[in-house]
């Protein structure tokens, strides 16, 4: 690569007596450009992400990368998770707004008591509803952005984590999720 780079940056050193050499020079120039671009881009892509973006030195568009712990707000990981004992106490005190983000058929097959089914695909639209339409549709008090008793759950914790991200993005920053989901709930209840 040293020789080809040398030729690329010093074309006057090439002999221009035949068209074959000119053709080879153009070919070499294209190959060098490709190799340099590939090296620069692979170097840039291996750089660490900065606030979810890969900085590209060659101007190529890159995909967004999130190196946080999966939480919408890094540092809130522990505060955003509710365990079985906490959820059980909240349910006993009637101090929780529990939203099940599974599909309706999963909800009908088994559910945590007092949970309200809002499938993940409808969650954002539902949380944006004004208070009265929300209460008419779901037959419960509409959650407020400052409420600290909003908890999402699903089957195993993946969809509820997505629901948590949606809620945080919409301003429900004190919302939490039951990471164990219905699987964890059912396992504890069978003991």
């Amino acid at each position: 690569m040293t020789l080809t780079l040398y030729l690329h940056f010093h074309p006057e050193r090439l002999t221009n007596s035949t068209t074959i050499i000119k053709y080879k020079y153009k070919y070499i120039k294209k190959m060098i450009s490709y190799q340099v671009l590939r090296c620069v881009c692979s170097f840039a892509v291996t750089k660490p992400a900065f606030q979810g973006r890969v900085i590209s030195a060659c101007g190529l568009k890159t995909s967004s990368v999130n190196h946080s712990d999966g939480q919408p707000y890094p540092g809130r990981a522990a505060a955003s998770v509710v365990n079985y004992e906490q959820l059980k106490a909240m349910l006993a005190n009637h101090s929780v707004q529990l939203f099940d983000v599974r599909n309706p058929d999963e909800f009908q097959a088994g559910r945590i008591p007092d949970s309200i089914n809002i499938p993940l695909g409808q969650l954002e639209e539902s949380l944006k509803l004004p208070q009265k339409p929300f209460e008419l549709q779901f037959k419960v008090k509409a959650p407020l952005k400052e409420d600290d008793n909003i908890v999402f759950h699903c089957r195993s914790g993946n969809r509820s984590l997505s629901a948590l991200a949606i809620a945080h993005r919409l301003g429900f920053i004190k919302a939490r999720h039951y990471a164990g989901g219905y699987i964890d709930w059912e396992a504890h209840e069978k003991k």
Side-chain angles (χ1 to χ4, degrees):
M1 185 145 166
T2 307
L3 176 62
T4 53
L5 283 175
Y6 178 80
L7 292 175
H8 177 67
F9 293 110
H10 300 285
E12 68 277 5
R13 304 267 191 228
L14 290 174
T15 306
N16 291 326
S17 59
T18 66
T19 56
I20 295 173
I21 293 176
K22 286 181 182 177
Y23 173 76
K24 285 184 178 180
Y25 172 70
K26 287 179 183 176
Y27 177 74
I28 290 171
K29 187 175 179 180
K30 285 181 185 177
M31 288 303 296
I32 292 170
S33 298
Y34 172 75
Q35 288 174 347
V36 169
L37 181 65
R38 195 176 88 200
C39 290
V40 168
C41 289
S42 64
F43 173 77
V45 172
T46 59
K47 285 294 193 189
F50 177 72
Q51 291 185 355
R53 291 178 199 87
V54 174
I55 309 302
S56 176
C58 54
L60 296 176
K61 291 183 179 179
T62 57
S63 62
S64 180
V65 178
N66 185 357
H67 288 288
S68 71
D69 55 3
Q71 297 297 327
Y73 297 99
R76 289 188 184 238
S80 295
V81 177
V82 173
N83 62 33
Y84 172 79
E85 290 78 18
Q86 291 169 321
L87 183 59
K88 190 80 169 170
M90 293 168 85
L91 286 167
N93 295 332
H94 301 286
S95 62
V96 65
Q97 297 178 74
L98 182 61
F99 297 104
D100 185 333
V101 296
R102 297 178 298 161
N103 294 325
D105 58 323
E106 294 174 283
F107 182 75
Q108 292 301 323
R111 64 189 190 93
I112 297 175
D114 299 330
S115 62
I116 305 301
N117 184 227
I118 305 177
L120 183 60
Q122 300 169 10
L123 181 67
E124 184 167 357
E125 181 183 318
S126 299
L127 290 177
K128 288 179 178 178
L129 286 173
Q131 201 167 4
K132 290 290 182 192
F134 185 95
E135 291 170 2
L136 286 172
Q137 185 172 350
F138 298 106
K139 312 288 188 259
V140 294
K141 178 183 156 289
L144 303 174
K145 291 186 178 184
E146 60 272 2
D147 288 346
D148 64 353
N149 64 345
I150 301 169
V151 178
F152 298 101
H153 88 86
C154 62
R155 185 178 80 72
S156 62
N158 293 327
R159 286 176 283 181
S160 64
L161 189 59
S162 297
L164 184 64
I166 291 167
H168 282 181
R169 191 178 73 244
L170 293 175
F172 297 87
I173 59 170
K174 295 179 181 177
R176 296 177 280 176
H177 85 113
Y178 176 37
Y182 187 72
I183 292 173
D184 185 60
W185 176 268
E186 195 172 39
H188 278 91
E189 291 294 302
K190 285 182 179 179
K191 290 181 182 177

